[in-house]
Amino acid sequence: MYDSSDPRSTLASAADRPAPTQFAGAECGKFYETAPQEDDANGRTWFIRSQNCVVAYTEARDGAHFVRSAQPDEYVLLLPEAGVSAEILTPDGRIAVAGYSIAFVPPGASEIRISGAGPVVRLLTARAEDLAAKCVNAAAYRTPQPNIAPFAPWPDAAAGRRVHAYSLDVPDEPGRFGRIWRGSTLMVNFLPPQSGPRDVTKLSPHHHDDFEQISLALEGAFTHHLRWPWTTNLNNWRDDLHEYCAAPSAMVIPPPAIHTSRGMLEGINQLVDIFCPPRRDFSLKPGWVLNHTDYPMPSESSNAAA
């Protein structure tokens, strides 16, 4: 349910599916009040996961150095501040990535060298088993959760497996929802910053049938409101959740929980939504995916998120 001014109100409805009968709970990581899983020369790093995705949030030290020797698939580097940049090294060479940018890094061997101190976010699929095991909530996914479609990657970039980097400095545009980029494994929506608390008369409660959403708070604070459907079996009912999360934090929202997030503080409230694999409905909206010419969509018959 969207306000008429919300561009998502134009999204096509999903096809009817059998009603789910079991539900998973949300997973919440409040990095500001918990110890990091790593504290070393690179900085302080927190790991949290969904069924398909691993989020590594680092308060990086200048000169931090992240290495993937045999990464199984493409991953994302997100540099949310202008003062923190990176150099990415792959067998194809080196590429400089400015601060306030997003980069898609190919599978295989890669190194990331950070210049400046500040937040650095890496997003990987759960196929990065070494990092998935570090997640504070790893136990929640020892058994696959219900209602989530099997992970299936999208096609590689049209220009082949190489680093693709993009500036986050993209102006808002009427009718477009957020600032969305996609690769072969992940879609990232770096939402426009909310200035001040969100208007409580224009929230956007909605649900996803078969894919998760990770909402990463980078600045300010948000209350994440979640509600699960009722079924004929009272034992499967879940209480509503109204979780206050300051930044930095991550909320993992499982399907088909109804959800909406509300910026809470005066000043800037910055949220980033993460989907693994990319969303087909967003991809079908003309102009919504800013790098759509670089990454082709899968065919209609392929097994991808809808």
Side-chain angles (χ1 to χ4, degrees), residues 67-170:
V67 177
R68 300 299 294 163
S69 59
Q71 172 62 25
D73 48 17
E74 188 176 61
Y75 69 101
V76 168
L77 172 67
L78 181 64
L79 302 173
E81 292 189 359
V84 182
S85 59
E87 182 182 50
I88 302 176
L89 292 78
T90 69
D92 290 334
R94 303 168 181 249
I95 183 170
V97 180
Y100 204 56
S101 294
I102 185 171
F104 294 83
V105 186
S110 60
E111 298 181 35
I112 296 171
R113 297 177 179 173
I114 299 297
S115 296
V120 171
V121 181
R122 288 168 293 153
L123 308 172
L124 309 95
T125 75
R127 292 176 176 175
E129 294 180 355
D130 58 325
L131 301 186
K134 295 177 183 286
C135 292
V136 67
N137 63 335
Y141 298 93
R142 287 175 183 157
T143 300
Q145 294 190 355
N147 309 319
I148 300 169
F151 174 77
W154 283 29
D156 288 334
R161 292 183 166 184
R162 61 175 180 81
V163 175
H164 292 76
Y166 310 94
S167 171
L168 298 174
D169 188 12
V170 176

Side-chain angles (χ1 to χ4, degrees), residues 8 125 149 186 268 274 299:
R8 289 172 294 177
T125 75
L186 288 139
I268 297 300
I274 301 156
S299 65

Side-chain angles (χ1 to χ4, degrees), residues 88-281:
I88 302 176
L89 292 78
T90 69
D92 290 334
R94 303 168 181 249
I95 183 170
V97 180
Y100 204 56
S101 294
I102 185 171
F104 294 83
V105 186
S110 60
E111 298 181 35
I112 296 171
R113 297 177 179 173
I114 299 297
S115 296
V120 171
V121 181
R122 288 168 293 153
L123 308 172
L124 309 95
T125 75
R127 292 176 176 175
E129 294 180 355
D130 58 325
L131 301 186
K134 295 177 183 286
C135 292
V136 67
N137 63 335
Y141 298 93
R142 287 175 183 157
T143 300
Q145 294 190 355
N147 309 319
I148 300 169
F151 174 77
W154 283 29
D156 288 334
R161 292 183 166 184
R162 61 175 180 81
V163 175
H164 292 76
Y166 310 94
S167 171
L168 298 174
D169 188 12
V170 176
D172 293 341
E173 184 176 306
R176 192 189 73 217
F177 180 59
R179 292 170 282 179
I180 302 172
W181 292 267
R182 72 164 186 253
S184 63
T185 58
L186 288 139
M187 173 179 279
V188 178
N189 188 358
F190 201 91
L191 292 158
Q194 295 183 33
S195 181
R198 186 174 182 181
D199 184 348
V200 298
T201 70
K202 293 184 178 180
L203 300 181
S204 54
H206 64 284
H207 79 280
H208 310 305
D209 287 320
D210 63 357
F211 61 90
E212 308 158 293
Q213 174 177 315
I214 302 176
S215 289
L216 176 66
L218 295 176
E219 192 172 351
F222 292 83
T223 295
H224 302 287
H225 303 280
L226 285 82
R227 170 171 287 182
W228 284 261
W230 289 357
T231 70
T232 56
N233 186 347
L234 180 63
N235 294 314
N236 291 337
W237 293 13
R238 287 183 171 271
D239 292 338
D240 290 354
L241 182 65
H242 306 278
E243 192 74 26
Y244 180 92
C245 296
S249 62
M251 174 64 77
V252 182
I253 302 167
I258 300 168
H259 58 277
T260 190
S261 298
R262 179 163 58 104
M264 300 299 294
L265 300 185
E266 299 296 337
I268 297 300
N269 300 282
Q270 180 65 66
L271 198 66
V272 178
D273 285 343
I274 301 156
F275 306 96
C276 180
R279 289 179 62 162
R280 184 182 290 275
D281 57 350

Side-chain angles (χ1 to χ4, degrees), residues 282-303:
F282 280 8
S283 296
L284 289 172
K285 296 294 290 184
W288 279 29
V289 177
L290 297 170
N291 65 335
H292 67 95
T293 58
D294 291 342
Y295 283 87
M297 287 184 62
S299 65
E300 286 286 345
S301 61
S302 64
N303 183 16

